[in-house]
Amino acid sequence: MSNLFEISNDVQKAIDLKKPIVALESTLISHGLPYPDNIKVAKESIKAIEDNGSVAATIGIINGKVKIGLNEDDINILAKDHNVQKVSNHNINLSIFKKENAATTVASTISIASIFGIKFFVTGGIGGVHLNAKNTYDVSADLYSLSEHTNYVICSGAKSILDLNKTYELLETLGITRLGYKTDHMPGFWFSETKHQVDNNFESISDISNFLKLNSKLNHKKSILIFNKVPEINAISEDKINEWINGALLKAEKNKINGKELTPFLIKEINNSSNNKTLTANVSLIINNADLAGKIAKNFYT
Ligand code: PSU
Ligand code: MN
């Protein structure tokens, strides 16, 4: 590979030996969670994956270099530096060109993971159709990236701040399979369940991995979502969340926040109005998803 990419030794070894690898995004470190919770999540997610016998590959950009397998220093930079760009598929090339520090979203992380044949990816919640999309046309590139690459994505649905009804429908339109792990319904990120039925609920890790093994033989070039609910003790009621979301949306409108600034702005506002209940839920669901991802990846390769 060209010198635009830098793969850590651990990840390179895992690629060579065909060992299980789980990719992680870095936008949630730089723009999704406040310091120091972001460092804690980054480290504990890696640990959860590794404790299950898989290799973690956090992806991000340091001084214009695309790194697959960020080390502790890299994570510190992305967690603390206030000038880190948020890069999706439309602007990742520019951050590389300008030699910036940049955090990759779900969309750009799976694009990079795919170049190196990394099949598994874990996050908290994917992006989707924004609530006011009818007027703004703001639909996350995550959805389109998921339909262009074959990644197995462990997540708690799409973020609660989105229009989850439209997101669910667009996932179907784009050919992205929506699986539940021990759930019949797509989760709502900070809350446990939306009204939307998953395409199939698998009750065990080995059933999921058997299905993914079959899927890999189909030459079906679409991603698959594996939904894992927020741990029950940290789940919040949908009504409470909607109250906070409405307040945050009004504030965003007043301050003319839009585009890629919108998601981080809303999350910050809601963490404030919920007294960090949403932050606690966010932290716990990501680490819980990493644990599940480590287990599924390990099972898939054995
Ligand atoms: N999930 C979180 N926090 C985040 C994100 C997801 O808990 O910050 C990020 C992801 O990187 C996702 C991005 O890809 O938000 C979506 O942003 P946008 O709506 O601008 O595409
Ligand atoms: Mn957007």
Side-chain angles (χ1 to χ4, degrees):
M1 253 323 140
S2 72
N3 64 358
L4 298 175
F5 297 94
E6 191 178 309
I7 309 181
S8 73
N9 289 337
D10 282 355
V11 175
Q12 187 61 58
K13 232 188 279 164
I15 291 174
D16 295 342
L17 300 173
K18 297 198 169 31
K19 293 214 317 214
I21 307 173
V22 179
L24 300 118
E25 57 154 312
S26 41
T27 293
L28 64 85
I29 301 174
S30 302
H31 304 279
L33 298 164
Y35 177 84
D37 303 82
N38 53 2
I39 302 238
K40 174 184 147 161
V41 168
K43 285 190 183 161
E44 289 191 16
S45 302
I46 291 171
K47 185 169 183 303
I49 290 166
E50 292 180 346
D51 284 350
N52 287 304
S54 296
V55 172
T58 314
I59 293 177
I61 298 176
I62 303 290
N63 292 326
K65 189 155 299 218
V66 182
K67 288 196 159 191
I68 298 97
L70 296 177
N71 61 35
E72 212 171 313
D73 292 341
D74 301 328
I75 288 172
N76 276 318
I77 292 171
L78 295 185
K80 291 180 189 168
D81 180 354
H82 294 293
N83 296 316
V84 176
Q85 298 293 320
K86 172 180 165 187
V87 292
S88 184
N89 286 339
H90 71 285
N91 58 348
I92 183 170
N93 43 8
L94 290 163
S95 272
I96 298 168
F97 182 72
K98 294 182 194 169
K99 298 199 173 8
E100 290 172 337
N101 291 331
T104 52
T105 62
V106 172
S108 53
T109 305
I110 62 173
S111 298
I112 296 162
S114 298
I115 298 173
F116 298 93
I118 299 174
K119 283 194 164 70
F120 288 88
F121 169 73
V122 65
T123 188
I126 59 167
V129 182
H130 279 270
L131 277 165
N132 198 20
K134 205 165 59 178
N135 299 316
T136 60
Y137 235 91
D138 190 356
V139 177
S140 176
D142 291 358
L143 298 183
Y144 297 92
S145 207
L146 287 164
S147 76
E148 284 159 8
H149 302 287
T150 313
N151 266 265
Y152 302 144
V153 176
I154 292 83
C155 64
S156 302
K159 276 164 293 173
S160 318
I161 54 165
L162 299 164
D163 186 325
L164 298 181
N165 306 326
K166 294 195 178 81
T167 301
Y168 174 86
E169 291 299 336
L170 190 49
L171 284 168
E172 178 174 312
T173 304
L174 293 170
I176 299 157
T177 311
R178 303 153 299 186
L179 303 180
Y181 172 62
K182 297 188 176 168
T183 179
D184 290 321
H185 297 93
M186 177 168 91
F189 191 61
W190 293 317
F191 62 96
S192 304
E193 284 193 345
T194 65
K195 61 179 191 237
H196 299 291
Q197 295 248 328
V198 296
D199 293 308
N200 199 74
N201 173 13
F202 284 107
E203 291 287 341
S204 81
I205 286 164
S206 62
D207 286 347
I208 292 180
S209 107
N210 286 336
F211 172 71
L212 297 180
K213 280 179 195 169
L214 175 141
N215 185 77
S216 301
K217 294 183 192 147
L218 291 175
N219 209 16
H220 178 68
K221 290 198 168 56
K222 304 281 173 187
S223 288
I224 289 183
L225 299 179
I226 298 145
F227 294 138
N228 193 25
K229 289 197 259 188
V230 55
E232 209 172 323
I233 46 162
N234 297 311
I236 305 170
S237 86
E238 186 178 353
D239 290 346
K240 266 263 146 271
I241 291 169
N242 284 336
E243 231 176 89
W244 297 323
I245 291 174
N246 290 335
L249 283 171
L250 282 176
K251 208 157 171 183
E253 207 183 312
K254 223 193 263 161
N255 291 290
K256 299 199 165 52
I257 310 281
N258 50 41
K260 68 177 187 169
E261 316 297 335
L262 185 61
T263 297
F265 178 86
L266 294 175
I267 290 174
K268 257 178 229 143
E269 281 301 316
I270 294 164
N271 286 344
N272 274 338
S273 34
S274 73
N275 261 324
N276 283 339
K277 274 215 179 80
T278 48
L279 175 59
T280 305
N282 206 344
V283 167
S284 84
L285 69 85
I286 295 170
I287 297 166
N288 190 47
N289 291 348
D291 177 65
L292 179 63
K295 291 188 168 112
I296 296 174
K298 176 70 182 172
N299 197 295
F300 181 90
Y301 283 93
T302 46

